[in-house]
mmCIF file of all heavy atoms in Angstrom:
data_model
loop_
_atom_site.group_PDB
_atom_site.id
_atom_site.type_symbol
_atom_site.label_atom_id
_atom_site.label_comp_id
_atom_site.label_asym_id
_atom_site.label_seq_id
_atom_site.Cartn_x
_atom_site.Cartn_y
_atom_site.Cartn_z
ATOM 1 N N LEU A 42 8.719 10.049 7.410
ATOM 2 C CA LEU A 42 9.411 8.873 6.880
ATOM 3 C C LEU A 42 10.031 8.040 7.994
ATOM 4 O O LEU A 42 10.115 6.808 7.895
ATOM 5 C CB LEU A 42 10.486 9.311 5.889
ATOM 6 C CG LEU A 42 9.964 10.039 4.639
ATOM 7 C CD1 LEU A 42 11.117 10.481 3.757
ATOM 8 C CD2 LEU A 42 8.990 9.163 3.868
ATOM 9 N N SER A 76 7.102 14.493 -5.681
ATOM 10 C CA SER A 76 6.664 15.074 -6.954
ATOM 11 C C SER A 76 6.263 16.516 -6.665
ATOM 12 O O SER A 76 5.511 16.779 -5.719
ATOM 13 C CB SER A 76 5.474 14.303 -7.530
ATOM 14 O OG SER A 76 5.844 12.979 -7.861
ATOM 15 N N VAL A 77 6.750 17.458 -7.477
ATOM 16 C CA VAL A 77 6.501 18.870 -7.239
ATOM 17 C C VAL A 77 5.601 19.435 -8.330
ATOM 18 O O VAL A 77 5.767 19.130 -9.517
ATOM 19 C CB VAL A 77 7.820 19.680 -7.185
ATOM 20 C CG1 VAL A 77 7.547 21.127 -6.787
ATOM 21 C CG2 VAL A 77 8.802 19.046 -6.213
ATOM 22 N N ALA A 88 -7.553 36.685 -3.312
ATOM 23 C CA ALA A 88 -7.772 36.018 -2.033
ATOM 24 C C ALA A 88 -7.129 36.803 -0.899
ATOM 25 O O ALA A 88 -6.165 37.556 -1.095
ATOM 26 C CB ALA A 88 -7.199 34.599 -2.073
ATOM 27 N N PHE A 100 -3.435 26.583 -1.894
ATOM 28 C CA PHE A 100 -3.235 25.532 -2.889
ATOM 29 C C PHE A 100 -3.992 24.258 -2.532
ATOM 30 O O PHE A 100 -4.308 23.445 -3.410
ATOM 31 C CB PHE A 100 -1.751 25.216 -3.056
ATOM 32 C CG PHE A 100 -0.969 26.287 -3.781
ATOM 33 C CD1 PHE A 100 0.427 26.223 -3.838
ATOM 34 C CD2 PHE A 100 -1.608 27.341 -4.398
ATOM 35 C CE1 PHE A 100 1.154 27.198 -4.513
ATOM 36 C CE2 PHE A 100 -0.885 28.333 -5.068
ATOM 37 C CZ PHE A 100 0.506 28.254 -5.121
ATOM 38 N N ASP A 118 0.103 20.220 6.947
ATOM 39 C CA ASP A 118 0.809 21.496 6.993
ATOM 40 C C ASP A 118 2.285 21.237 7.254
ATOM 41 O O ASP A 118 2.665 20.212 7.847
ATOM 42 C CB ASP A 118 0.247 22.378 8.109
ATOM 43 C CG ASP A 118 -0.930 23.221 7.651
ATOM 44 O OD1 ASP A 118 -1.269 23.192 6.452
ATOM 45 O OD2 ASP A 118 -1.535 23.915 8.508
ATOM 46 N N PHE A 131 -4.974 6.957 7.089
ATOM 47 C CA PHE A 131 -5.137 6.855 5.640
ATOM 48 C C PHE A 131 -6.195 5.814 5.257
ATOM 49 O O PHE A 131 -6.907 5.977 4.267
ATOM 50 C CB PHE A 131 -3.796 6.488 5.002
ATOM 51 C CG PHE A 131 -3.796 6.534 3.506
ATOM 52 C CD1 PHE A 131 -3.862 7.736 2.830
ATOM 53 C CD2 PHE A 131 -3.738 5.355 2.764
ATOM 54 C CE1 PHE A 131 -3.870 7.779 1.429
ATOM 55 C CE2 PHE A 131 -3.741 5.393 1.374
ATOM 56 C CZ PHE A 131 -3.808 6.611 0.717
ATOM 57 N N ASN A 138 -18.076 11.055 3.916
ATOM 58 C CA ASN A 138 -17.714 12.467 4.046
ATOM 59 C C ASN A 138 -16.618 12.852 3.057
ATOM 60 O O ASN A 138 -15.871 12.006 2.557
ATOM 61 C CB ASN A 138 -17.243 12.754 5.474
ATOM 62 C CG ASN A 138 -18.383 12.737 6.474
ATOM 63 O OD1 ASN A 138 -19.155 13.687 6.553
ATOM 64 N ND2 ASN A 138 -18.503 11.652 7.234
ATOM 65 N N VAL A 169 -8.528 13.379 2.782
ATOM 66 C CA VAL A 169 -9.388 13.951 1.741
ATOM 67 C C VAL A 169 -9.804 12.896 0.720
ATOM 68 O O VAL A 169 -8.954 12.209 0.138
ATOM 69 C CB VAL A 169 -8.660 15.095 1.003
ATOM 70 C CG1 VAL A 169 -9.575 15.744 -0.026
ATOM 71 C CG2 VAL A 169 -8.145 16.143 2.002
ATOM 72 N N TYR A 201 -16.719 26.523 5.713
ATOM 73 C CA TYR A 201 -18.036 26.942 5.244
ATOM 74 C C TYR A 201 -18.586 25.963 4.200
ATOM 75 O O TYR A 201 -19.719 25.489 4.314
ATOM 76 C CB TYR A 201 -17.970 28.339 4.643
ATOM 77 C CG TYR A 201 -19.292 28.775 4.045
ATOM 78 C CD1 TYR A 201 -20.332 29.239 4.855
ATOM 79 C CD2 TYR A 201 -19.513 28.691 2.667
ATOM 80 C CE1 TYR A 201 -21.553 29.601 4.313
ATOM 81 C CE2 TYR A 201 -20.729 29.050 2.118
ATOM 82 C CZ TYR A 201 -21.744 29.512 2.938
ATOM 83 O OH TYR A 201 -22.959 29.865 2.399
ATOM 84 N N TYR A 216 -2.579 17.332 16.988
ATOM 85 C CA TYR A 216 -2.460 17.870 18.342
ATOM 86 C C TYR A 216 -1.891 19.282 18.263
ATOM 87 O O TYR A 216 -0.725 19.485 17.955
ATOM 88 C CB TYR A 216 -1.574 16.969 19.197
ATOM 89 C CG TYR A 216 -1.892 17.063 20.662
ATOM 90 C CD1 TYR A 216 -2.978 16.385 21.202
ATOM 91 C CD2 TYR A 216 -1.120 17.840 21.518
ATOM 92 C CE1 TYR A 216 -3.293 16.466 22.546
ATOM 93 C CE2 TYR A 216 -1.422 17.930 22.861
ATOM 94 C CZ TYR A 216 -2.509 17.242 23.373
ATOM 95 O OH TYR A 216 -2.820 17.340 24.704
ATOM 96 N N PHE A 229 3.122 12.744 24.759
ATOM 97 C CA PHE A 229 3.287 12.189 23.418
ATOM 98 C C PHE A 229 2.105 11.339 22.990
ATOM 99 O O PHE A 229 2.250 10.348 22.275
ATOM 100 C CB PHE A 229 4.590 11.384 23.324
ATOM 101 C CG PHE A 229 5.802 12.177 23.702
ATOM 102 C CD1 PHE A 229 6.309 12.124 24.988
ATOM 103 C CD2 PHE A 229 6.414 12.996 22.778
ATOM 104 C CE1 PHE A 229 7.419 12.874 25.339
ATOM 105 C CE2 PHE A 229 7.526 13.751 23.120
ATOM 106 C CZ PHE A 229 8.031 13.699 24.404
ATOM 107 N N VAL A 233 0.410 13.291 15.258
ATOM 108 C CA VAL A 233 0.852 14.495 14.551
ATOM 109 C C VAL A 233 0.848 15.665 15.536
ATOM 110 O O VAL A 233 -0.189 15.985 16.127
ATOM 111 C CB VAL A 233 -0.069 14.831 13.357
ATOM 112 C CG1 VAL A 233 0.452 16.071 12.633
ATOM 113 C CG2 VAL A 233 -0.157 13.649 12.394
ATOM 114 N N VAL A 259 14.369 16.837 15.275
ATOM 115 C CA VAL A 259 14.223 16.322 13.911
ATOM 116 C C VAL A 259 15.044 17.172 12.944
ATOM 117 O O VAL A 259 15.738 16.638 12.064
ATOM 118 C CB VAL A 259 12.740 16.302 13.483
ATOM 119 C CG1 VAL A 259 12.615 15.830 12.039
ATOM 120 C CG2 VAL A 259 11.929 15.402 14.394
ATOM 121 N N PRO A 269 20.490 28.698 11.519
ATOM 122 C CA PRO A 269 20.213 29.324 12.822
ATOM 123 C C PRO A 269 18.718 29.535 13.025
ATOM 124 O O PRO A 269 17.953 29.594 12.056
ATOM 125 C CB PRO A 269 20.942 30.666 12.719
ATOM 126 C CG PRO A 269 20.937 30.982 11.252
ATOM 127 C CD PRO A 269 21.087 29.645 10.561
#
Side-chain angles (χ1 to χ4, degrees):
L42 297 178
S76 295
V77 186
F100 288 171
D118 272 356
F131 188 71
N138 288 283
V169 183
Y201 176 79
Y216 206 79
F229 304 95
V233 181
V259 177

